[in-house]
Amino acid sequence: MTSTDLSADVAASSSSAAMFIPAPATPYQGDIARYWDREARPVNLRLGDVDGLYHHHYGIGDVDRGALGDTGDSAYEKKLIAELHRLESAQAELLLDHLGPIGRDDTLVDAGCGRGGSMVMAHQRFGCRVEGVTLSAKQADFANQRARELGIEDHVHARVCDMLGTPFETGRAAASWNNESSMYVDLEDLFAEHSRILATGGRYVTITGCWNPRYGQPSKYVSQINAHFECNIHSRREYLRAMADNRLVPQAVIDLTPATLPYWELRATSALVTGIEKAFINSYKDGSFQYLLIAADRV
Ligand SMILES: C[S@@+](CC[C@H](N)C(=O)[O-])C[C@H]1O[C@@H](n2cnc3c(N)ncnc32)[C@H](O)[C@@H]1O
Ligand SMILES: CC(C)=CCC/C(C)=C/COP(=O)(O)OP(=O)(O)O
Ligand SMILES: [Mg+2]
């Protein structure tokens, strides 16, 4: 498969001046586009500055207390930022681990690509082409600028586009994913589109926060997270049902809740707190909210 095979949108360009920005499909999507256009939280930008990989997702894994050193140390906050960033990159590595065997000639699709950190990591690991979509022109510009700086703009490209209606050809993507971006869309519509673009035998992966049906209904903490990000968190049941409806058969379902708690406990001690930390910690601890990885085969 060549890099141009996947995209029917020949007019798309990585140059921001030439970027075609479609009108939002719904008023809600207009709100979300504005939200991410305006977003500039230090907890995201300062972490990205550590090594140039800019993420808008959370971290997993144990905190390396040795690397953090003494809280009284003048370099402590800088080390804390580096540690939070390391855990966020570990999260993206885990997602990439579940994409299956990917060749240099393959194309991957990042649905809701943000500033493009996961796309860069995917290209660096597999040497393949990665196409990202986001509602935010600012984020797409940022991701394309980073790709140019790294000299990988011929392989990594972001565009402003609704993930529910992409310009990608049917049945050509080797793998696709949502990294903390599926809570902005209807899951039946989302998985219908992934199912359309994926090759038969291709792999879909999501890492997401979802409410736990065992708790009963979305807890007050889940409602706080929804309000904070203007999103609509789905239940674990909805994910599995919508996948089954759309020829996506789960191969792995991993509860990452215990693995993400150390990230949140550490972040809550940082000067970069945003105020949402307690809602995540409380909802993970009371069992109303789960951090989940689901990897599914397109059959
Ligand atoms: C929390 S950020 C995650 C970014 C990225 N996946 C990461 O891990 O860094 C959510 C992203 O979803 C995107 N998004 C939300 N709804 C979308 C839609 N309908 N189509 C395309 N992107 C969407 C936003 O523009 C934003 O880039
Ligand atoms: C797991 C859930 C429910 C995620 C909601 C989507 C979201 C906003 C993710 C993190 O983005 P970010 O990195 O911009 O957020 P923050 O500024 O809090 O780090
Ligand atoms: Mg963040």
Side-chain angles (χ1 to χ4, degrees), residues 29 56-57 112 114 134-135 139 161-163 179-181 184-185:
Q29 287 195 6
H56 286 283
H57 59 247
T134 169
L135 292 178
Q139 286 190 329
C161 175
D162 179 8
M163 63 172 93
N179 197 350
E180 297 189 19
S181 54
Y184 295 95
V185 290

Side-chain angles (χ1 to χ4, degrees), residues 209-227:
C210 58
W211 65 266
N212 189 351
R214 282 187 66 177
Y215 184 84
Q217 285 289 314
S219 66
K220 59 181 181 267
Y221 303 120
V222 170
S223 299
Q224 282 168 17
I225 297 168
N226 276 335

Side-chain angles (χ1 to χ4, degrees), residues 67-133:
L68 278 176
D70 193 343
T71 48
D73 183 348
S74 60
Y76 180 79
E77 186 68 19
K78 195 174 170 206
K79 290 180 185 168
L80 193 155
I81 286 169
E83 185 62 5
L84 289 173
H85 183 63
R86 185 182 70 79
L87 299 177
E88 291 189 1
S89 288
Q91 188 264 31
E93 295 286 8
L94 185 75
L95 189 154
L96 300 181
D97 288 345
H98 286 83
L99 293 182
I102 303 295
R104 298 183 70 80
D105 294 334
D106 284 331
T107 298
L108 309 179
V109 173
D110 183 348
C113 63
R115 286 190 158 97
S118 304
M119 290 204 288
V120 171
M121 290 173 65
H123 169 70
Q124 289 175 339
R125 187 190 287 209
F126 303 116
C128 63
R129 183 166 181 84
V130 190
E131 296 278 357
V133 297

Side-chain angles (χ1 to χ4, degrees), residues 11-282:
S13 160
S14 60
S15 143
S16 55
M19 188 185 283
F20 169 67
I21 301 177
T26 59
Y28 173 74
Q29 287 195 6
D31 289 342
I32 299 307
R34 277 185 291 279
Y35 176 96
W36 289 108
D37 277 348
R38 289 176 190 151
E39 189 281 332
R41 290 185 285 276
V43 73
N44 298 313
L45 297 176
R46 292 201 44 205
L47 268 62
D49 290 343
V50 169
D51 62 1
L53 292 170
Y54 290 84
H55 301 307
H56 286 283
H57 59 247
Y58 300 122
I60 54 166
D62 291 336
V63 172
D64 182 347
R65 294 281 161 197
L68 278 176
D70 193 343
T71 48
D73 183 348
S74 60
Y76 180 79
E77 186 68 19
K78 195 174 170 206
K79 290 180 185 168
L80 193 155
I81 286 169
E83 185 62 5
L84 289 173
H85 183 63
R86 185 182 70 79
L87 299 177
E88 291 189 1
S89 288
Q91 188 264 31
E93 295 286 8
L94 185 75
L95 189 154
L96 300 181
D97 288 345
H98 286 83
L99 293 182
I102 303 295
R104 298 183 70 80
D105 294 334
D106 284 331
T107 298
L108 309 179
V109 173
D110 183 348
C113 63
R115 286 190 158 97
S118 304
M119 290 204 288
V120 171
M121 290 173 65
H123 169 70
Q124 289 175 339
R125 187 190 287 209
F126 303 116
C128 63
R129 183 166 181 84
V130 190
E131 296 278 357
V133 297
T134 169
L135 292 178
S136 159
K138 288 270 168 54
Q139 286 190 329
D141 280 350
F142 190 101
N144 289 329
Q145 177 61 27
R146 275 305 293 141
R148 279 194 293 277
E149 285 163 6
L150 293 166
I152 57 173
E153 70 272 24
D154 52 341
H155 282 84
V156 170
H157 178 246
R159 75 185 73 209
V160 181
C161 175
D162 179 8
M163 63 172 93
L164 303 180
T166 66
F168 307 128
E169 272 185 29
T170 297
R172 301 305 292 270
S176 61
W177 71 82
N178 285 94
N179 197 350
E180 297 189 19
S181 54
S182 50
M183 56 290 292
Y184 295 95
V185 290
D186 178 275
L187 291 183
E188 289 285 344
D189 296 345
L190 177 67
F191 295 144
E193 181 63 354
H194 280 285
S195 194
R196 183 189 70 75
I197 65 174
L198 280 167
T200 302
R203 177 54 66 83
Y204 170 76
V205 180
T206 183
I207 295 184
T208 189
C210 58
W211 65 266
N212 189 351
R214 282 187 66 177
Y215 184 84
Q217 285 289 314
S219 66
K220 59 181 181 267
Y221 303 120
V222 170
S223 299
Q224 282 168 17
I225 297 168
N226 276 335
H228 185 84
F229 292 114
E230 301 180 34
C231 66
N232 293 290
I233 291 164
H234 306 286
S235 69
R236 175 157 50 104
R237 182 181 180 205
E238 285 174 81
Y239 277 94
L240 297 175
R241 183 162 46 198
M243 282 185 186
D245 287 346
N246 288 284
R247 307 193 69 84
L248 294 171
V249 177
Q251 170 71 19
V253 180
I254 305 175
D255 184 359
L256 296 174
T257 309
T260 196
L261 263 167
Y263 166 90
W264 283 103
E265 305 271 19
L266 181 65
R267 175 166 152 159
T269 69
S270 156
L272 301 182
V273 286
T274 62
I276 199 60
E277 288 76 14
K278 279 212 165 62
F280 275 89
I281 292 169
N282 290 340

